[in-house]
Structures are given as C-alpha cells and as structure tokens.
Amino acid sequence: MDAWLYPPPPQRTVSPRLRWRRLADRLFRGAVVASVVVVLAPLAAVLATVIAKGAPALDLAFLTHLPKPVGETGGGVGHAILGTLFLALGGLGIAVPVGVPAGVFLASDRMPRLAGVVRMCADVLAGVPSIVVGLFAYTLLVMPFRQFSALSGAFALAVIMLPTIVRTTEEVVRLVPPTLTEAALALGAPRWRAMLGVVLPSAGKGVAAGIIAAFSRGAGETAPLMFTAFGSQFLSWNLLQPIAALPLVLFNYAVSPYEDWHAQAWAAALVLVVLVLVANLVARYATARRSA
Amino acid sequence: MSLASVMAPVPVPTPSPGRVAPPVPRADPSPALREEPRVAKMVVEDLSAWYGRRKVLHGVSLPFVKDAVTAIIGPSGCGKSTLIRCLNRMHEIQPGAAQSGRVLLDGRDIHGGHLDPIELRRRVGMVFQKPNPFPTMSVRDNVLAGWRLTGTRPKDPDAVVEDALRRAALWVEVKDRLKAPGGSLSGGQAQRLCIARALAVAPEVLLMDEPCSALDPIATARIEELIHELAPTVTIVIVTHNMQQAARVSAYTAFLYMGELVEFAETAGLFTRPADPRTEDYITGRFG
Ligand SMILES: Nc1ncnc2c1ncn2[C@@H]1O[C@H](COP(=O)(O)OP(=O)(O)OP(=O)(O)O)[C@@H](O)[C@H]1O
Ligand SMILES: [Mg+2]
C-alpha cells in the first residue's frame, strides 16, 4: 500500500494585519447592510401603509362592482381596474409596434445620424414630465374632437411607455451575437427576415420584459390621463368615450370629502400596487427563464 | 492538365508571373483530376479587400474548379476568411468593408444586376469557423432555416431534414431529438448541424471556413468523408490550418500570405514541389 505523505498544515497565526483586515471586512459588511436597509425601508413603509389602510375596504365587491352614487356606501372600482388594463394595453398596442422596430433599428447600427436623432428623442421623451405628455395628447386628440376619450388616454400612455420599450429592445437585441445574424444572411435571408426570424426570437424574452416594464410604468400614471381618459363612473369599452382608470379613481377619491371614499382610495392604491408588482414579477420571471 | 484548360470556358484572369505556378505534370493524376474538361465554377479576378483603410487582400486572382475541392491555406490573419466571404458577398455586410476586382459565378459577375445577394447566397452556401446554430429554433427548424428564411418551403421537409442530417453525419445522434433546441447540442454536433443547414438548400458551391476546428478527430473524419461525397456534385472551397487535411480533401490548393496569393496549384504538386520558397516554408512548418 502506498502511503502518501502530506506536508504539515501551515501554522495559523493571526497577525495584527490580518486582524485589522477582518475588522475592516466586518465594518464594510455592516455599512452595506445598513445602506440596504435605508433603501428598502421606504419601500417597506409604503407597502405596509397601503396594505394596512387599503386592506379593510378590499373585498370581492370592491374589485367587481361599479361605484355607488355619492351618499351611498359600498360600491367598487371594477370599472377602473378594467379601464386601467384597457388603457395600458391600448398604450402598448400603440407603443410596441413603434418602439420595438425603433429599438431594433438602433441596435442595427445603420444610418448613424438618424439613429442619433431617434436615440435623442427617446431620451428626451423619457425625461418629459408626464403631465406635459397629457397636455400634448390633449391638444392632439381631445381638442379637435371636443371629447375626452380612452383613445387619447391610451395614446398618452403610449408616449410614456415608448422610451422604455425602445431602450430595452435596443439593449437586448444588441446582446444577440452578430454571428447569428451572419448565419441567417449567409443562408440568403433578407435583413428583415433575419431580424424577425432569428434575432428577435433570440431576444424575445428580453423584449417581452421591457414591454411588461413599460406596462407597469404606464398603468401607474395619473397625470397623463387627467385631460385625456378623464375618468368615468361607468364601465365603458368605447374608444371614443371617457374611461375610468385606477390612478384617476384614487386621485378623485383621495381629494373628496367623504370618509368612505378615502378608504376606497387606499384600497384602489393597494390594487394598483399589486397590479404593478405582479407585472414586474412576471417580467422578472421571464428574464430569469431566458438566461437559463 | 494545365491551368489554362481549367479556366478555359470563362474569361480567364492572367495570373501575374511568378505568383501562380503552373501545376506540375504528374505521371498519375488523382482520379478526381482525370476527367476533362474542367470548368471554373467561380473565378476571382484581381480581388482586393479592405476593412476601413486597411487593405487585407491585394489583387488576388484564382479559379475554383467546378465540382472539385479547393483548399485555401495560409497563416492566421492572411485573409483566408476575407477571401471566401467575398465569394458570397458576406464581406460587404460588415461596416467599413470595401472591395475591388471581380468575382464570377458561372462566368458572370456576382455583383452584376442579374443576381441579388439573396439568390447568390442560396447558391453559394457557407459554414463558419465557429458553430452558429440558431438557439431558439429546434434542430429540425435549424436544418430548414435556409428555406424558411428565404420564404420558401421544400416539397418534403422531413426528407430534406433527414437527408441533410445524414450527410452531415448527425442523423443518428439527433433523430430522436429533432424538437430539441439548436442550442442544446455539443460544439461538434452544432457544427455538423450548421453543415446540414447549409446542405439542406442544395447549394452549388459550399464555402467552409475551418469547419473542423471545433471537431474531434472522429467528427473531422466524417466531415472529410462528407466532402469527398459531395465533391462530384458540389464545388467546395475549404479554409484550413491543417496541411494534412488540405492534402487529404482537396484537388487544388491556394496558398495565401499577407493578403497575396503566393501559389495556386494542384494539391499534390503544391505539397510535393512548391514553386515558391514561402510556400515551402509554410507547409514545412517554418512559419505561420
Ligand atoms: N471585421 C474586421 N475589421 C477589421 N479588420 C478585420 C476584420 N476582420 C478581419 N480583419 C483583419 O483582416 C485580416 C485578414 O483577416 P481574415 O479573417 O481574413 O484572416 P484569416 O486568414 O481568416 O485568419 P484566421 O486563420 O486566423 O482565421 C486580419 O489582419 C484581420 O485582423
Ligand atoms: Mg479565418
């Protein structure tokens, strides 16, 4: 039998230097944990408040019923939940067909001048206050028709969503290896088919995540809807009529003088937060699965 | 057989003297060379290529004999990939890339109006150095990608898939997982999938840029077998760093050095009696 000789283990002496390093390590760790707490505390506080104040008024009726006339208690925000979904999806309906191709274009590095202009527009748009976007939609789509409408609200949300979609699409399309595009072109694919058939599917889940992020951003906006979708007490699917939205309900109920409505405003806030949170989790889940 | 007879049916570039050695007549030409007449499927005439301001090919002229294998050898960075990318117009898609000179397919300029790049690339297929299967497509869809991406479909897709995969020596390994994503194959399998993908559209010319650099010896042998099988019906241009491979698979060999064509000859002649000292240095391993 072969006996293996091992060298003796090194003596572990703790030098002052090492001791100082360990102390420094602990200090830094503490600082990092503290800063995480500082960042997370407000989020936790907001969530806790919304849940605490919103939960009491939250029940199935609140989610499904229409509001009751002033003076009567009860009623719900079913119309606003559907309205928000309608507006946000409508916004996506406008923003996705514009934003995804724009992002793909930016990632393709062709026509650098035009790309520069597009990129700058997207950046500027991202920085425009949302109330200004609302005014813009108002002059464009409300004034000419003398009518608040779901369409103008969806358009305003689309403008808000656009920069997010353009930028994330550009980023994830850039991550697709250029060798894939080459392979497609070498097979005789025209550029647009290489893009649609190979590059976009490869970036697909990333693009989807960007779209969901844009959705949750748009769903939470209030200001752009004030002069466009305007709000409504009824369930409506008409593009050319005013439509309710959760943030608008929240705002209107919160500034009202009625105790009952205040409670409902909190509940609406809770619903909105949950909606946005769910959308974000879905986005997260989608991106996590794609890298696997 | 002389070089002139090789290129007779098409406008022949006159190779600058000293650069292209006339093939040495041999007592027993290999069977691949015995059938006459030989036609040039593709011809490169005075081809220069640039990346930005950097000139990487300097007036290269050579023929690619129809239904024969031509090997391109030369040290790393000498322009082999650039040369073959000019043959299917993949060079020009890179930003800043430029070229001059002519490339003929069946005697007609590939930049002429009669042939768009899409049609050209269907007829002149390509296998890249690094395997690049489409990760989101299934194995089966990868094989059919050349059809789908050009908006066409074969009469019998299943037969096309099986035939291409069999020829690429991959069928046995993947026949039970045709639905698996293209990204799930090993490197060597992925490369054979790319070869199958190129074969599925039945190209007339197949450009292979170091197709075996990611493969083990067994897979390499299979690919070489495949090249032998294809050679009677497909014009093959193969870039390789492996002298033995060049000697084994090709009928003609071109030696590129620093963007210039140093020597083009029948493979047997080039390896046994190189005309240029630089060729001799390279094939005997003195540089590169
Ligand atoms: N996209 C590019 N941009 C700029 N220069 C390039 C590019 N591709 C290649 N080159 C340069 O052109 C020259 C020829 O490159 P090429 O890829 O044709 O060489 P090669 O002979 O195929 O080399 P290898 O055997 O390493 O693959 C090299 O000097 C290389 O640095
Ligand atoms: Mg190369």
Side-chain angles (χ1 to χ4, degrees), chain B residues 51 54 56 75-82 94 129 210 241:
Chain B
Y51 290 104
R54 202 151 147 253
V56 300
S76 187
C78 69
K80 305 180 294 295
S81 298
T82 308
Q94 284 152 298
Q129 186 166 352
E210 297 181 50
H241 277 288

Side-chain angles (χ1 to χ4, degrees), chain A residues 2 4 13 21 23-24 58 76 90 105 136 142 149 156 160 162 172 181 201 211 247 274 285:
Chain A
D2 286 325
W4 288 89
T13 50
R21 270 196 214 157
L23 183 66
L58 193 63
F105 165 72
F136 170 63
V142 175
S149 64
I160 303 272
L162 197 58
V172 297
T181 317
I211 290 173
V274 168
Y285 181 71

